[in-house]
Coordinates of all heavy atoms in Angstrom, one line a residue:
P243 N -0.6 -3.9 -1.1 CA -2.0 -3.6 -0.9 C -2.8 -4.0 -2.0 O -2.4 -4.2 -3.2 CB -1.9 -2.0 -0.9 CG -0.5 -1.7 -0.5 CD 0.3 -2.8 -1.1
A244 N -4.1 -4.2 -1.7 CA -5.1 -4.7 -2.8 C -5.1 -3.9 -4.0 O -5.4 -4.3 -5.1 CB -6.5 -4.9 -2.1
T245 N -4.9 -2.5 -3.8 CA -5.0 -1.6 -4.9 C -3.6 -1.2 -5.5 O -3.5 -0.2 -6.2 CB -5.7 -0.3 -4.5 OG1 -5.0 0.3 -3.3 CG2 -7.1 -0.6 -4.0
F246 N -2.6 -2.0 -5.2 CA -1.3 -1.7 -5.7 C -1.2 -1.5 -7.2 O -0.5 -0.6 -7.7 CB -0.3 -2.8 -5.2 CG 1.1 -2.5 -5.5 CD1 1.8 -1.5 -4.9 CD2 1.8 -3.3 -6.5 CE1 3.2 -1.2 -5.1 CE2 3.2 -3.0 -6.8 CZ 3.8 -2.0 -6.1
N247 N -1.9 -2.3 -7.9 CA -1.9 -2.2 -9.4 C -3.1 -1.5 -10.0 O -3.6 -1.7 -11.1 CB -1.9 -3.7 -9.9 CG -0.6 -4.4 -9.6 OD1 0.4 -3.8 -9.7 ND2 -0.7 -5.6 -9.2
D248 N -3.6 -0.5 -9.3 CA -4.7 0.4 -9.7 C -4.3 1.0 -11.1 O -3.2 1.5 -11.3 CB -4.9 1.5 -8.7 CG -6.2 2.4 -8.9 OD1 -6.7 2.2 -10.0 OD2 -6.5 3.1 -8.0
D249 N -5.3 0.9 -12.1 CA -5.0 1.4 -13.4 C -5.7 2.7 -13.6 O -5.6 3.3 -14.7 CB -5.5 0.4 -14.5 CG -7.0 0.1 -14.5 OD1 -7.7 0.7 -13.6 OD2 -7.4 -0.8 -15.2
Y250 N -6.4 3.2 -12.6 CA -7.0 4.6 -12.5 C -8.1 4.7 -13.5 O -8.4 5.9 -14.0 CB -5.9 5.7 -12.7 CG -4.7 5.5 -11.8 CD1 -3.4 5.3 -12.4 CD2 -4.8 5.5 -10.4 CE1 -2.3 5.1 -11.6 CE2 -3.7 5.2 -9.6 CZ -2.5 5.0 -10.2 OH -1.4 4.8 -9.4
E251 N -8.7 3.7 -13.9 CA -9.8 3.8 -14.9 C -10.9 4.6 -14.3 O -11.4 4.4 -13.2 CB -10.4 2.4 -15.2 CG -11.5 2.5 -16.2 CD -12.0 1.0 -16.6 OE1 -11.5 0.1 -16.0 OE2 -13.0 1.0 -17.3
G252 N -11.4 5.6 -15.0 CA -12.5 6.5 -14.6 C -11.9 7.7 -13.8 O -12.7 8.6 -13.4
R253 N -10.6 7.7 -13.5 CA -9.9 8.7 -12.7 C -8.6 9.1 -13.3 O -7.7 9.5 -12.7 CB -9.7 8.2 -11.3 CG -11.0 7.8 -10.5 CD -10.6 6.8 -9.5 NE -10.3 5.5 -10.0 CZ -9.4 4.7 -9.6 NH1 -8.6 5.0 -8.6 NH2 -9.2 3.5 -10.2
E254 N -8.6 9.0 -14.7 CA -7.4 9.3 -15.4 C -6.8 10.7 -15.2 O -5.5 10.8 -15.2 CB -7.6 9.1 -16.9 CG -7.9 7.6 -17.3 CD -9.3 7.2 -17.2 OE1 -10.2 8.1 -16.7 OE2 -9.8 6.1 -17.5
L255 N -7.6 11.7 -15.1 CA -7.1 13.1 -14.9 C -6.8 13.5 -13.5 O -6.2 14.6 -13.2 CB -8.1 14.1 -15.5 CG -8.4 13.9 -17.0 CD1 -9.5 14.9 -17.4 CD2 -7.1 14.1 -17.8
T256 N -7.1 12.6 -12.6 CA -6.9 12.9 -11.2 C -5.9 12.0 -10.5 O -4.7 12.2 -10.5 CB -8.3 12.9 -10.4 OG1 -8.9 11.6 -10.6 CG2 -9.2 14.0 -10.9
A257 N -6.4 10.9 -10.0 CA -5.5 9.8 -9.5 C -4.5 9.3 -10.5 O -3.4 8.9 -10.2 CB -6.3 8.7 -8.9
G258 N -4.9 9.4 -11.8 CA -4.0 8.9 -12.8 C -3.0 9.9 -13.4 O -2.3 9.6 -14.3
D259 N -3.0 11.0 -12.9 CA -2.0 12.0 -13.4 C -1.3 12.7 -12.2 O -1.4 13.9 -11.9 CB -2.8 13.1 -14.1 CG -1.9 14.1 -14.8 OD1 -0.7 13.8 -15.1 OD2 -2.3 15.3 -15.1
T260 N -0.5 11.9 -11.5 CA 0.3 12.4 -10.4 C 1.8 12.1 -10.5 O 2.2 11.4 -11.5 CB -0.1 11.7 -9.1 OG1 0.3 10.4 -9.0 CG2 -1.6 11.7 -8.9
E261 N 2.6 12.6 -9.6 CA 4.0 12.2 -9.5 C 4.3 11.6 -8.1 O 5.2 12.0 -7.5 CB 4.9 13.4 -9.9 CG 4.8 13.9 -11.3 CD 5.5 15.1 -11.6 OE1 6.2 15.6 -10.7 OE2 5.4 15.6 -12.8
M262 N 3.5 10.7 -7.8 CA 3.6 10.0 -6.4 C 3.4 8.5 -6.5 O 3.0 7.9 -5.6 CB 2.7 10.7 -5.4 CG 1.2 10.8 -5.8 SD 0.3 11.8 -4.6 CE -0.4 10.5 -3.5
T263 N 3.7 7.9 -7.7 CA 3.6 6.5 -7.9 C 4.9 5.9 -7.6 O 5.8 6.6 -7.2 CB 3.1 6.1 -9.3 OG1 4.2 6.5 -10.2 CG2 1.9 6.8 -9.8
M264 N 5.0 4.6 -7.7 CA 6.3 3.9 -7.4 C 7.4 4.2 -8.4 O 8.5 3.9 -8.2 CB 6.0 2.4 -7.5 CG 5.1 1.8 -6.5 SD 5.5 1.9 -4.7 CE 4.5 3.3 -4.2
D265 N 7.1 5.1 -9.4 CA 8.1 5.5 -10.4 C 8.8 6.8 -10.0 O 9.7 7.3 -10.7 CB 7.4 5.7 -11.7 CG 7.0 4.4 -12.4 OD1 7.5 3.3 -12.0 OD2 6.2 4.5 -13.4
Y266 N 8.4 7.4 -8.8 CA 9.0 8.7 -8.5 C 9.8 8.7 -7.2 O 10.0 9.7 -6.6 CB 7.8 9.6 -8.3 CG 7.2 10.0 -9.7 CD1 6.2 9.3 -10.3 CD2 7.8 11.1 -10.5 CE1 5.7 9.6 -11.5 CE2 7.3 11.4 -11.7 CZ 6.3 10.7 -12.2 OH 5.7 11.0 -13.5
F267 N 10.3 7.5 -6.8 CA 11.3 7.5 -5.7 C 12.7 8.0 -6.2 O 13.1 7.6 -7.3 CB 11.4 6.1 -5.1 CG 10.2 5.6 -4.4 CD1 9.4 4.6 -4.8 CD2 9.8 6.3 -3.2 CE1 8.3 4.2 -4.1 CE2 8.7 5.9 -2.5 CZ 7.9 4.9 -2.9
S268 N 13.3 8.7 -5.4 CA 14.7 9.2 -5.7 C 15.8 8.3 -5.2 O 15.6 7.3 -4.5 CB 14.9 10.6 -5.0 OG 15.0 10.4 -3.7
R269 N 17.0 8.6 -5.7 CA 18.1 7.9 -5.2 C 18.2 7.9 -3.7 O 18.6 6.9 -3.0 CB 19.5 8.4 -5.8 CG 19.6 8.0 -7.3 CD 20.8 8.8 -7.8 NE 21.2 8.4 -9.2 CZ 21.7 9.3 -10.1 NH1 21.9 10.5 -9.8 NH2 22.0 8.8 -11.3
R270 N 18.0 9.1 -3.1 CA 18.0 9.3 -1.7 C 17.0 8.4 -1.0 O 17.3 7.7 0.0 CB 17.8 10.7 -1.3 CG 17.9 11.0 0.2 CD 17.7 12.4 0.5 NE 16.2 12.8 0.4 CZ 15.7 13.8 1.0 NH1 16.4 14.6 1.8 NH2 14.4 14.1 0.9
D271 N 15.8 8.3 -1.6 CA 14.7 7.5 -1.0 C 15.1 6.0 -1.0 O 14.8 5.3 -0.1 CB 13.4 7.6 -1.9 CG 12.8 9.0 -1.8 OD1 13.0 9.7 -0.8 OD2 12.2 9.3 -2.8

Side-chain angles (χ1 to χ4, degrees):
T245 58
F246 184 70
N247 293 314
D248 192 345
D249 62 5
Y250 314 118
E251 182 181 356
R253 296 156 291 137
E254 291 85 357
L255 297 178
T256 55
D259 186 23
T260 73
E261 295 176 359
M262 50 191 267
T263 67
M264 299 295 103
D265 290 342
Y266 288 90
F267 288 117
S268 69
R269 287 173 175 148
R270 185 181 72 158
D271 297 331

